[in-house]
């Protein structure tokens, strides 16, 4: 199951996860896999109402708790290690914020808040500071979003929203997030380049993965 979920992750997330300590790897993989699945629901396209229905399924399923989950869904099976997976409804809301016709400040904030809240919850699951995790995840959310936008005006709005966001130090249990937030900070400083845009990004990822800063 892990291999299948790993194959669904974008390259930056796969790389970041490789630096997760064994004790936090399962919970982190489950969250990253859910995030990737929600992103795929948007990329599948179709009428906005159909995308909303896909997201609503995830929202309702997470809120129902593991006792009501259908069998055979790999992401849900991975989330069984979470004590409070219902808190990840915020991540669904974050992705849904991107469904509007225009990417305005409210949508950008909604997406960043959704990832921030989800990773704050991961920190709680792992016994760490949720505030630092939330801040790091917000930075990653905006760097990731900017790097995947082709519209220059929309990218400029994301870059403006990211201005001044902190990149706080994170504990070893959250090392994958340290890698992602560090790559995002570099990307945003360069105008929204892809997070893994060459040797410089790879070297930064290795340094963050090993040392955390």
């Amino acid at each position: 199951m892990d291999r299948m979920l790993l194959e669904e992750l974008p390259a930056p997330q796969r790389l970041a996860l490789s630096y997760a300590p064994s004790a936090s790897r399962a919970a982190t993989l489950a969250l990253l896999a859910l995030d990737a699945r929600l992103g795929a629901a948007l990329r599948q396209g179709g009428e906005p109402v159909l995308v909303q229905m896909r997201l609503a399924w995830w929202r309702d399923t997470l809120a129902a708790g593991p006792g009501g989950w259908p069998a055979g869904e790999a992401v849900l099976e991975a989330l069984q290690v979470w004590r409070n997976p219902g808190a990840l409804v915020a991540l669904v809301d974050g992705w849904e914020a991107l469904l509007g016709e225009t990417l305005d400040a409210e949508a950008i904030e909604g997406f960043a808040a959704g990832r921030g809240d989800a990773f704050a919850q991961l920190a709680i699951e792992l016994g760490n500071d949720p505030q630092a995790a939330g801040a790091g995840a917000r930075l990653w959310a905006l760097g990731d979003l900017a790097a995947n936008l082709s519209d220059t005006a929309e990218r400029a709005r994301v870059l403006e929203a990211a201005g001044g966001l902190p990149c706080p130090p994170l504990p070893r249990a959250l090392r994958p997030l340290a890698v992602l937030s560090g790559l995002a900070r570099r990307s945003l400083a360069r105008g929204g380049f892809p997070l893994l845009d060459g040797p410089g990004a790879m070297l930064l990822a290795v340094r963050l993965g090993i040392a955390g800063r």
Side-chain angles (χ1 to χ4, degrees):
M1 182 179 70
D2 278 12
R3 177 174 294 183
M4 181 176 67
L5 293 178
L6 280 170
E7 289 175 353
E8 295 184 22
L9 299 183
Q13 286 90 309
R14 286 200 306 273
L15 176 62
L17 186 67
S18 69
Y19 293 102
S22 58
S24 61
R25 187 180 188 281
T28 306
L29 171 58
L31 175 53
L32 291 174
L34 174 62
D35 184 75
R37 191 67 63 85
L38 296 173
L42 267 70
R43 287 191 295 274
Q44 287 173 16
E47 292 295 325
V49 66
L50 295 178
V51 181
Q52 286 180 320
M53 288 175 63
R54 295 179 200 131
L55 295 177
W57 184 88
W58 282 103
R59 182 183 292 108
D60 294 344
T61 301
L62 290 168
W69 288 353
E73 164 50 60
V75 173
L76 293 178
E77 290 181 8
L79 283 168
Q80 296 279 353
V81 301
W82 277 63
R83 295 187 300 276
N84 184 23
L88 296 178
V89 165
L91 185 61
V92 183
D93 295 339
W95 278 102
E96 190 171 31
L98 299 181
L99 283 178
E101 292 184 5
T102 60
L103 188 67
D104 57 17
E106 183 177 358
I108 294 167
E109 167 59 23
F111 180 62
R115 267 193 181 163
D117 289 349
F119 277 83
Q121 188 61 39
L122 175 63
I124 293 171
E125 292 276 330
L126 299 176
N128 294 119
D129 175 21
Q131 185 173 358
R138 290 174 71 92
L139 185 63
W140 169 46
L142 295 182
D144 186 31
L145 183 58
N148 284 283
L149 290 172
S150 57
D151 186 288
T152 55
E154 290 182 340
R155 189 185 305 116
R157 290 188 204 112
V158 175
L159 294 174
E160 181 179 3
L165 282 183
C167 188
L170 293 165
R172 179 165 172 72
L174 294 168
R175 191 59 53 83
L177 181 57
V179 173
L180 291 169
S181 61
L183 289 173
R185 180 173 59 177
R186 176 182 183 273
S187 170
L188 290 163
R190 294 161 64 87
F193 279 34
L195 267 64
L196 291 177
D197 66 345
M202 288 297 297
L203 287 172
L204 175 61
V206 170
R207 192 191 83 203
L208 292 167
I210 294 173
R213 56 187 176 85

